[in-house]
Amino acid sequence: MTSEPRQIRLVMELRAEGVTDAAVLGAIERTPREEFVPPQFRDRAYENTALPIGEGQTISQPLIVGLMTQALQLGPRMKVLEIGTGCGYQAAVLSKLCRRVYSIERHKSLLGETNKRLARLGYHNITAIAGDGMKGWPEQAPFDRIIVTAAASREVPQTFIDQLAPGGILVLPLGTSTSDQHVWRVRKDEEGSVTREKLWAVRFVPLIGGMPESNGRGQANGAG
Ligand code: SAM
């Protein structure tokens, strides 16, 4: 696939801002962000900014997608869990760098559109379901890597640590107010001990437990 000039410009901007991993930059360059944004925002798809995707949610800023993906230190044989599928953009980038992505989204309407999009674009190593990501995905655990794309409160949810494989890495935003949120990297060593490091300030939509009322009853959720 030939990259457009605006795609190349975005990748150069991300490199200047700290995304230095060539594989991550390559994955971003090969992911057509204009396919993941609503039609009225297509002309802004390669701006380094978050954009609305419906249901009050956003597609993440490309810089944050790049930095969080880089912080995961992915390998080609890894199994990755993403919480907060949204439009599927982050999952699409991850899918180029690991074996399989499992992703959970609490808004069924977003998930329905996203699954159609991912199938149309040929992303066959992503499995995305509707459910409460706060429960993780116990049937598929453990995961080599977990990424959360909505902000939890101050504490790292124990479910995610439990579902992380020994030697695994979890990257997630923490903080209740948008003026005081940071991305953290949590490592679980081979003995199960956990250490955490604060990476950078961010502004994410909140991680919300439970399903929205508009989803009705009947939870198509393998997540527990
Ligand atoms: N990953 C997306 C991307 O590629 O641009 C961005 C997702 S948006 C910033 C965060 C998403 O997390 C929203 O779609 C929101 O509905 C979802 N979310 C929030 N709480 C959740 C939960 N408990 N379980 C699953 N998804 C959740």
Side-chain angles (χ1 to χ4, degrees):
M1 194 180 81
T2 320
S3 305
E4 294 182 46
R6 54 187 189 148
Q7 255 169 300
I8 295 168
R9 253 200 317 274
L10 173 64
V11 165
M12 286 169 67
E13 186 178 339
L14 302 193
R15 188 189 292 131
E17 298 272 350
V19 185
T20 51
D21 184 316
V24 173
L25 289 169
I28 290 175
E29 190 173 340
R30 287 182 283 116
T31 306
R33 194 168 185 254
E34 78 272 12
E35 298 285 352
F36 292 82
V37 299
Q40 65 271 34
F41 292 115
R42 284 198 166 190
D43 58 340
R44 300 186 57 196
Y46 294 101
E47 289 178 16
N48 187 13
T49 182
L51 293 167
I53 56 169
E55 302 286 3
Q57 306 302 321
T58 52
I59 178 171
S60 300
Q61 184 190 356
L63 176 62
I64 299 303
V65 171
L67 290 172
M68 288 179 78
T69 305
Q70 180 169 272
L72 282 172
Q73 300 173 352
L74 291 165
R77 299 174 62 84
M78 289 181 179
K79 179 175 166 185
V80 179
L81 174 66
E82 179 196 27
I83 309 299
T85 320
C87 63
Y89 178 69
Q90 171 76 74
V93 171
L94 293 170
S95 75
K96 294 178 160 68
L97 300 164
C98 68
R99 181 168 57 82
R100 178 156 284 280
V101 180
Y102 293 87
S103 187
I104 307 173
E105 168 57 52
R106 67 189 286 275
H107 282 286
K108 279 188 181 169
S109 57
L110 289 181
L111 200 261
E113 288 304 309
T114 294
N115 270 334
K116 280 189 228 158
R117 175 181 302 118
L118 293 173
R120 176 169 55 78
L121 296 173
Y123 288 97
H124 299 304
N125 64 339
I126 301 173
T127 307
I129 57 164
D132 178 5
M134 293 285 272
K135 297 175 180 165
W137 195 329
E139 295 82 355
Q140 293 295 344
F143 298 94
D144 302 302
R145 301 289 186 261
I146 300 179
I147 177 170
V148 186
T149 66
S153 55
R154 301 212 169 273
E155 286 310 308
V156 180
Q158 185 60 37
T159 314
F160 301 153
I161 293 174
D162 291 345
Q163 294 186 17
L164 194 60
I169 295 178
L170 158 66
V171 172
L172 82 172
L174 289 180
T176 41
S177 102
T178 48
S179 59
D180 185 24
Q181 265 182 22
H182 291 84
V183 169
W184 290 77
R185 175 161 52 195
V186 179
R187 293 176 192 270
K188 186 176 187 176
D189 70 16
E190 297 297 335
E191 283 72 48
S193 299
V194 169
T195 51
R196 44 190 262 178
E197 66 189 293
K198 198 179 195 175
L199 299 180
W200 354 264
V202 277
R203 279 166 179 248
F204 268 94
V205 295
L207 184 69
I208 300 171
M211 299 294 276
E213 277 182 16
S214 60
N215 280 341
R217 292 183 298 277
Q219 188 171 323
N221 182 4

